């Protein structure tokens, strides 16, 4: 186990008592915490103004800009967490992979990875060699952000190994990830080595964010919904566990009796401070059948997309796992008299789990009216069962 620096927001007591962190740790909160995936970005006019003339990956690697973009939705909406502004392919770019994000299309790779020789070419960059200097822009952006956030937690994130591998094999976005799934079965050695490499890249990216000040971390498996449970369990889950192992050992001592925390939550029976790990969340799209397996890779909480009701998700998870989600993003464009009852239904269903963090069942659509998100936050914070 590795203890976080005493100045880290969790160890210093700034965020350990926050609604978000305690919910991820399974403690039900009277006021449900809320944040939105892709809350930082295209739906905000201030983001579009700031990004004029700058490419996406350049913005991600500019610490001051990445920090400002992360902070924008926190200021505007009053959400309970910032989500670090970056992209899942950033660690690939830092590892020397030729990738660019094309507007309207997504990440596009100069050389797809489809053979064992291609994987060996990737392995020429050892993820273990990606040191503090490699991740310096990321760490600086996190430090700038947490200095402004104060008691509001920052969530770090990374793409799960399968999603990164799928992008690399396909060479860009895909609807069915057929090439990636073919490689999985046609060349098990190439697949295994590719998954190990992407797991260590993602894990290093996550660890850099947490050590710099993130109070939680989320692993996104955007494309895992294309897999069967058998394929996920055998060919993907071990790599996701490997990615999370890079941050699973990071712990902090809960400050004794921090504000708003019951004494029993902050100290052990012997009077010593309780030691907790940095909370980890695992989210996937179209992964209703994989929820239990996704939890078992080492996550503390599980994100649920809009397809599976939260009470059903909690049942599949044995009613013992905190859940996150899962307002349908399509509802954000509906009239308020339609959206509000939908949000309240999600909140009620979330009561079936030990704790619930309200979020969307996917990301904020770029055409979303920001005022609607602010109104949703106000509704959630004012809602009581």
């Amino acid at each position: 186990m590795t203890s976080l620096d005493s100045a880290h927001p969790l160890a210093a007591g700034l965020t350990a008592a926050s609604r978000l962190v305690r919910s991820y740790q399974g403690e039900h909160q009277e006021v449900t915490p809320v944040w939105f995936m892709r809350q930082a970005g295209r739906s905000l006019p201030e983001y579009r103004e700031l990004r004029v003339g700058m490419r996406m990956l350049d913005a991600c690697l500019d610490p001051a800009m990445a920090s400002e973009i992360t902070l924008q939705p926190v200021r505007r909406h009053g959400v309970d967490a910032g989500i670090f502004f970056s992209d899942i392919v950033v660690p690939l770019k830092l590892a020397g992979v030729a990738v660019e994000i094309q507007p309207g299309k997504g990440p596009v790779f100069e050389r797809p990875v489809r053979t064992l020789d291609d994987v060996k070419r990737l392995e020429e960059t050892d993820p273990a060699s990606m040191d503090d200097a490699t991740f310096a822009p990321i760490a600086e952006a996190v430090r700038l952000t947490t200095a402004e956030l104060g008691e509001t937690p920052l969530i770090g994130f990374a793409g799960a190994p399968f999603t990164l591998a799928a992008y690399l094999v396909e060479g860009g976005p895909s609807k069915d990830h057929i090439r990636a799934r073919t490689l999985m079965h046609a060349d098990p050695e190439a697949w295994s080595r590719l998954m190990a490499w992407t797991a260590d890249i993602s894990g290093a990216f996550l660890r850099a964010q947490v050590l710099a000040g993130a109070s939680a971390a989320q692993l996104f498996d955007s494309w895992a919904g294309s897999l069967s449970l058998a394929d996920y369990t055998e060919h993907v889950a071990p790599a996701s566990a490997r990615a999370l192992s890079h941050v699973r050992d990071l712990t902090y001592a809960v400050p004794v009796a921090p504000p708003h925390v019951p004494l029993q939550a902050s100290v052990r029976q012997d009077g010593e401070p309780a030691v907790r790990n940095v909370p980890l969340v695992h989210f996937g799209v179209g992964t209703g059948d994989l929820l239990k397996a996704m939890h078992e890779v080492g996550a503390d909480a599980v994100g649920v997309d809009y397809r599976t009701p939260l009470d059903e998700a909690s049942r599949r998870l044995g009613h013992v796992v905190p859940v996150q989600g899962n307002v349908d993003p399509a509802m954000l464009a509906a009239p308020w008299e339609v959206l509000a009852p939908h949000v309240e239904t999600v909140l009620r269903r979330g009561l079936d789990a030990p704790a619930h963090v309200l979020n969307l069942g996917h990301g904020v659509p770029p055409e979303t009216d920001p005022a609607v998100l602010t109104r949703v936050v106000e509704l959630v914070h004012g809602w009581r069962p």
Side-chain angles (χ1 to χ4, degrees):
M1 293 294 179
T2 302
S3 296
L4 295 175
D5 185 273
S6 60
H8 190 284
L10 285 170
L14 285 172
T15 59
S18 65
R19 296 171 188 154
L20 182 94
V21 169
R22 293 171 66 196
S23 292
Y24 284 156
Q25 293 169 336
E27 298 179 33
H28 174 75
Q29 303 297 295
E30 181 181 0
V31 176
T32 303
V34 52
W35 67 278
F36 305 108
M37 284 182 281
R38 294 183 186 162
Q39 66 186 18
R42 295 169 295 177
S43 67
L44 300 183
E46 55 265 44
Y47 166 83
R48 295 192 295 270
E49 181 179 345
L50 188 63
R51 273 283 315 281
V52 170
M54 180 168 279
R55 294 182 301 179
M56 174 66 175
L57 292 181
D58 291 338
C60 293
L61 293 172
D62 181 317
M65 180 168 286
S67 176
E68 171 60 21
I69 293 171
T70 302
L71 292 166
Q72 286 176 346
V74 181
R75 297 191 197 109
R76 177 185 276 266
H77 303 311
V79 286
D80 292 284
I83 177 71
F84 184 56
F85 176 77
S86 192
D87 191 273
I88 64 171
V89 301
V90 163
L92 299 180
K93 188 172 183 68
L94 292 174
V97 175
V99 57
E100 288 298 337
I101 297 179
Q102 295 185 1
K105 184 173 184 180
V108 176
F109 294 83
E110 186 177 294
R111 296 178 64 182
V113 177
R114 293 175 183 167
T115 66
L116 180 57
D117 285 342
D118 292 334
V119 176
K120 290 177 179 178
R121 172 170 48 84
L122 287 179
E123 291 174 333
E124 292 174 3
T125 299
D126 182 354
S129 70
M130 298 176 71
D131 55 13
D132 292 348
T134 306
F135 290 112
I138 306 303
E140 178 62 15
V142 170
R143 284 192 288 267
L144 290 171
T145 305
T146 54
E148 293 292 328
L149 285 175
E151 295 182 356
T152 300
L154 176 68
I155 303 169
F157 85 97
F162 175 74
T163 290
L164 289 187
Y167 269 124
L168 285 164
V169 176
E170 302 290 344
S174 168
K175 291 183 178 180
D176 55 12
H177 314 99
I178 189 72
R179 289 190 178 96
R181 293 187 290 115
T182 297
L183 182 66
M184 178 189 298
H185 297 287
D187 193 338
E189 181 185 358
W191 180 256
S192 176
R193 290 171 65 163
L194 176 59
M195 290 296 281
W197 189 84
T198 55
D200 289 340
I201 287 286
S202 276
F205 185 49
L206 269 184
R207 189 176 181 89
Q209 294 170 66
V210 173
L211 289 177
S215 294
Q218 177 160 298
L219 195 66
F220 284 81
D221 214 344
S222 305
W223 307 133
S226 67
L227 299 169
S228 68
L229 177 58
D231 278 349
Y232 178 83
T233 302
E234 181 176 355
H235 300 290
V236 173
S240 294
R242 180 169 175 158
L244 289 177
S245 72
H246 285 258
V247 285
R248 190 72 207 178
D249 69 314
L250 299 178
T251 63
Y252 65 99
V254 180
V256 175
H260 316 303
V261 175
L263 184 62
Q264 64 269 24
S266 61
V267 297
R268 304 193 314 238
Q269 288 185 348
D270 60 8
E272 291 296 314
V275 175
R276 298 195 181 236
N277 67 282
V278 176
L280 306 177
V281 188
H282 199 3
F283 171 76
V285 180
T287 52
D289 292 337
L290 311 181
L291 293 175
K292 191 170 186 295
M294 291 176 67
H295 173 245
E296 290 171 347
V297 302
D300 299 294
V302 175
V304 184
D305 82 352
Y306 58 90
R307 297 169 178 85
T308 306
L310 286 184
D311 50 352
E312 171 59 18
S314 183
R315 184 192 69 79
R316 296 179 190 184
L317 290 163
H319 302 288
V320 295
V321 180
V323 296
Q324 178 175 275
N326 68 345
V327 171
D328 187 342
M331 287 288 197
L332 296 176
W336 182 250
E337 58 268 24
V338 175
L339 173 59
H342 173 64
V343 172
E344 291 172 351
T345 296
V346 172
L347 288 165
R348 283 193 296 272
R349 291 181 184 275
L351 294 172
D352 202 64
H356 173 214
V357 174
L358 190 120
N359 206 306
L360 301 182
H362 204 190
V364 175
E367 63 276 8
T368 301
D369 180 355
V372 171
L373 295 177
T374 303
R375 196 172 182 186
V376 169
V377 173
E378 293 170 350
L379 185 157
V380 174
H381 285 167
W383 185 83
R384 301 293 184 276

